[in-house]
Amino acid sequence: MNDNRTPVTVLGLGRIGATIAEIFLRNGHPTTVWNRSSGKAAQLDELGAVRVETVGEAVAASALIVVAAADTATSAAVLASAPDAVRGRTVVNLATGRPDEARELAAWIAEHHGQYLDGGILGVPQTLGTPDTMVMYSGSPEGQAEHGETIAELGTAKYLGSDAGLAALHDMAVLAGMYGLFSGFFQAVAMVDSESFPVGEFTESFLMPWLRSIIDVLPTMAAEIDSRQFEVNFSDLAANQAGLRNIRAASRNQGVATDLLDPLQRIFDEQVELGNGADSFTRAVSGILGVAVPSKS
Ligand SMILES: NC(=O)c1ccc[n+]([C@@H]2O[C@H](COP(=O)([O-])OP(=O)(O)OC[C@H]3O[C@@H](n4cnc5c(N)ncnc54)[C@H](OP(=O)(O)O)[C@@H]3O)[C@@H](O)[C@H]2O)c1
């Protein structure tokens, strides 16, 4: 049964690495595993995993090497302990890291005659191997052509092209969006909690329905930003400048700090001062872009 399946190696048997190894084993891949500390993920032994003592042995064992260490810097350090072994291998680093770290590791693997793919996992161990987990990855087109099908066993796989840093950028950007959501959530619940209103009831009955509906306007807002025209589809910047001021004043009146909202207010204010108040409030993005977006007037 194993004959047609690509032999894989998994380096790092934490929550993610152990789950990845289990998926490969259940799918019939001959699977070699290595972990820094011994005795991790004992369930893999019953499934037929080959456990080895050194990174060199582990990398030498398979054509496809999946690294699931704590972060990309750790993945790089693990691989650096067996530099010669990566020759002719495709390394897929699924640990979280920055784009610059991914590009640096890609260059190191290329120097050592291997192929590098860098990926990010949007999901949890429980959803790995199902369509509910997205695996974004980028890097070596040859590595993708050779091993894309195997990588797709881990979830809904999206290949973003040859720049090894692009998947990490998408990963970090998605997480940035998530923290923005959490930031709004924290502010909102602090406001109602200040009147001892149950946060759970507010969240489920008021906040979640609103956020679910508001999420549908994001593609239109994204189109406003892509066009750099900032045409108003929903609301202009001046109205949002005033609205946010009110929300901050209401927060302060409740004794709730406004630290999470203040930076956005500063950007709205700056953009209105620049004469962009009649633009869509998506204009705020030009306040944080690395390149200046000129005002229309
Ligand atoms: N868990 C999630 O839901 C989730 C979701 C998406 C992405 N991720 C990402 O996936 C990666 C792995 O996460 P995880 O949840 O599996 O983490 P974890 O359970 O904490 O496992 C970390 C792994 O890294 C190894 N490690 C740590 N420091 C090391 C070092 N200096 N040298 C060698 N190995 C080292 C650990 O080995 P030891 O066993 O020896 O400590 C272990 O195998 C992370 O980058 C994380 O951001 C996780």
Side-chain angles (χ1 to χ4, degrees):
M1 175 192 175
N2 287 353
D3 290 353
N4 301 326
R5 295 289 181 142
T6 308
V8 293
T9 285
V10 180
L11 302 176
L13 299 176
R15 284 176 288 274
I16 290 287
T19 310
I20 289 172
E22 190 168 333
I23 291 167
F24 286 144
L25 285 161
R26 291 193 189 282
N27 290 349
H29 294 271
T31 304
T32 302
V33 297
W34 172 88
N35 193 61
R36 174 181 60 167
S37 48
S38 55
K40 268 283 186 73
Q43 75 277 14
L44 300 177
D45 299 334
E46 286 167 23
L47 294 170
V50 176
R51 217 175 261 271
V52 294
E53 295 294 317
T54 68
V55 175
E57 285 171 88
V59 175
S62 309
L64 177 62
I65 316 300
V66 175
V67 196
D71 51 29
T72 297
T74 308
S75 298
V78 167
L79 292 163
S81 68
D84 297 334
V86 303
R87 178 181 281 271
R89 304 284 181 267
T90 295
V91 175
V92 186
N93 170 46
L94 293 179
T96 306
R98 299 190 310 268
D100 60 300
E101 293 172 313
R103 291 179 185 126
E104 202 178 309
L105 187 48
W108 184 86
I109 299 268
E111 264 170 46
H112 292 83
H113 310 286
Q115 290 159 346
Y116 182 70
L117 292 164
D118 191 89
I121 296 170
L122 291 178
V124 291
Q126 291 77 0
T127 60
L128 257 176
T130 75
D132 288 342
T133 282
M134 191 191 294
V135 181
M136 305 161 289
Y137 68 106
S138 62
S140 164
E142 296 80 14
Q144 194 277 333
E146 213 171 321
H147 297 293
E149 253 179 59
T150 306
I151 295 166
E153 292 174 31
L154 301 178
T156 301
K158 296 206 181 204
Y159 176 63
L160 294 165
S162 60
D163 174 356
L166 208 50
L169 183 68
H170 278 65
D171 193 24
M172 303 262 111
V174 166
L175 295 176
M178 178 187 76
Y179 282 113
L181 179 71
F182 289 159
S183 162
F185 170 70
F186 295 155
Q187 187 73 29
V189 298
M191 289 172 78
V192 294
D193 186 73
S194 69
E195 288 293 344
S196 303
F197 191 85
V199 164
E201 187 185 335
F202 165 74
T203 300
E204 289 196 39
S205 302
F206 297 92
L207 188 60
M208 284 172 65
W210 172 243
L211 291 179
R212 279 203 188 98
S213 72
I214 208 79
I215 209 145
D216 290 336
V217 310
L218 293 184
T220 304
M221 291 173 66
E224 292 172 5
I225 295 162
D226 272 337
S227 74
R228 296 291 197 270
Q229 292 304 304
F230 305 107
E231 298 297 344
V232 179
N233 285 290
F234 302 113
S235 188
D236 67 33
L237 188 60
N240 281 273
Q241 178 195 34
L244 190 55
R245 251 188 213 146
N246 257 336
I247 294 163
R248 289 167 58 250
S251 294
R252 278 194 300 271
N253 291 344
Q254 293 296 132
V256 173
T258 60
D259 303 57
L260 294 170
L261 298 178
D262 294 346
L264 188 57
Q265 183 78 63
R266 181 173 51 74
I267 290 169
F268 282 174
D269 291 349
E270 279 169 7
Q271 288 298 316
V272 170
E273 270 165 41
L274 285 169
N276 298 327
D279 283 355
S280 167
F281 69 115
T282 51
R283 223 332 155 172
V285 171
S286 60
I288 58 168
L289 278 172
V291 286
V293 181
S295 299
K296 275 176 254 165
S297 51

